[in-house]
Amino acid sequence: MAAYDLHIHSGYSSDGELPVAAIVGLCAARGLDAFSLTDHNSVRGVGEAARLARERGIGFVPGIEIDCNYRGTDLHLLGYGIDWRSADFARLEEEVAAKVMASFGAMVDNLPKLGFRVDAGAVLAAADGKPPTGELIAEVMLSDANCHTPPLRPYMEGGERSDMPYINFYLDYFAQGRPAFVPVEYMDYRDAVELVRDNGGVPVVAHPGLNFRGREETAGRLLDRGAAGLEVFNNYHTPEQAVYFTSLALSTGASLT
C-alpha cells in the first residue's frame, strides 16, 4: 500500500519547526511514496521541497494551507497542485503576516487578565520574523520558570493538558470563542477557494471536525461552495467524525485525504 502525508508544515510556517531538508529526509526515512508541503499562507519552502524530493525519488505535491473564514467561523483551506510561483501567494503571506502582527499586542494583553505571565519580547524573539502564534506563546511561557503561574500547570509535564501542550493551550485560550481570542480578518472562504483554483490548484477543507465540531454538516456546504475534498484522516478528528466525513465525501463524489 502506498504511503502519503499531504499535510506537513516546515519552519516557513507559523506553526512549523523543521527545515525543509529535514522534512524531506524524514519522508524518505519513513518510506513515503509522496508528500505535500502545506505551510500556513506561505509557499517559500515549496521550491526547495520539490527539488529535494526529486533528488530522493519521492513524489511531491506543491501545497499551501490558507487561513480563511466561512460565515463567521475561521477555518483552513488546503491547496494542492498550485502554481506556487504565482505572485498571489507572496501577496497572501504578506497580508496575513501584517494582520497577525497587528493582533499580537491584544493577545498577550489578554493573558495577564487570566492569571498568566508572558514576556512579549521573548515571544517575538522566538518568532524570528514569523507571525507569532498562540502555540509559540505557550512554548515561551512553558520554557521560562518566571512564567509558571498556576493556570499554566495543566500544560506542564504531568499536567492533564501536557500531551500536546502548545496546541492544547492554543485551543483552550486562543481558538475562536476562547477567553484570549483576538479576531483576525482572514479572507472569505470563497475567495480562498478562488485563489487556489485560479492558480491551478485543488481546494480541500482541512480538519473540518476541528473548526466545525458539533456542526459537522457544515462540511457539506463547503463542498457545495467550491471545495473539491475534505481532509478526513487527521489527529483532531474522532473516529466517528472520520467515518462521517468519509461518508460525506464519497456520497458527493469529493476527494478525501
Side-chain angles (χ1 to χ4, degrees), residues 165-181:
Y166 310 150
I167 293 175
N168 285 337
F169 187 87
Y170 165 80
L171 293 174
D172 293 344
Y173 286 96
F174 287 118
Q176 196 168 19
R178 306 308 294 174
F181 171 71

Side-chain angles (χ1 to χ4, degrees), residues 110-118 141 147-152 173:
N110 283 339
L111 290 176
K113 304 170 189 175
L114 300 167
F116 294 99
R117 187 179 302 130
V118 58
M141 288 196 299
C147 297
H148 291 179
T149 57
L152 196 63
Y173 286 96

Side-chain angles (χ1 to χ4, degrees), residues 209-232:
L210 173 64
N211 302 92
F212 297 98
R213 193 174 302 279
R215 296 179 291 143
E216 285 81 2
E217 69 281 358
T218 305
R221 293 196 286 275
L222 298 175
L223 290 171
D224 291 340
R225 287 160 176 77
L230 303 174
E231 182 184 38
V232 171

Side-chain angles (χ1 to χ4, degrees), residues 55-190:
E55 292 174 359
R56 293 286 194 116
I58 307 170
F60 178 71
V61 180
I64 191 170
E65 186 172 14
I66 300 173
D67 287 81
C68 54
N69 185 281
Y70 177 74
R71 295 189 174 182
T73 298
D74 291 339
L75 73 153
H76 301 155
L77 184 75
L78 295 158
Y80 294 117
I82 54 171
D83 175 10
W84 58 273
R85 296 179 178 85
S86 170
D88 288 345
F89 296 116
R91 186 160 47 249
L92 169 70
E93 181 173 17
E94 183 178 340
E95 290 173 354
V96 172
K99 290 177 180 180
V100 172
M101 282 302 305
S103 72
F104 176 68
M107 290 172 68
V108 295
D109 285 348
N110 283 339
L111 290 176
K113 304 170 189 175
L114 300 167
F116 294 99
R117 187 179 302 130
V118 58
D119 183 341
V123 176
L124 289 174
D128 193 25
K130 294 191 297 185
T133 64
E135 293 94 333
L136 181 63
I137 291 173
E139 181 178 356
V140 170
M141 288 196 299
L142 286 166
S143 68
D144 184 353
N146 291 324
C147 297
H148 291 179
T149 57
L152 196 63
R153 286 174 186 159
Y155 309 92
M156 298 169 67
E157 186 174 356
E160 59 267 29
R161 298 290 281 163
S162 63
D163 57 331
M164 297 186 297
Y166 310 150
I167 293 175
N168 285 337
F169 187 87
Y170 165 80
L171 293 174
D172 293 344
Y173 286 96
F174 287 118
Q176 196 168 19
R178 306 308 294 174
F181 171 71
V182 177
V184 174
E185 189 178 342
Y186 295 117
M187 69 165 58
D188 184 79
Y189 163 75
R190 281 157 289 199

Side-chain angles (χ1 to χ4, degrees), residues 204-249:
V204 173
V205 178
H207 45 66
L210 173 64
N211 302 92
F212 297 98
R213 193 174 302 279
R215 296 179 291 143
E216 285 81 2
E217 69 281 358
T218 305
R221 293 196 286 275
L222 298 175
L223 290 171
D224 291 340
R225 287 160 176 77
L230 303 174
E231 182 184 38
V232 171
F233 306 106
N234 188 285
N235 293 347
Y236 294 124
H237 288 170
T238 65
E240 293 77 17
Q241 285 179 318
V243 169
Y244 173 79
F245 292 129
T246 297
S247 176
L248 178 62

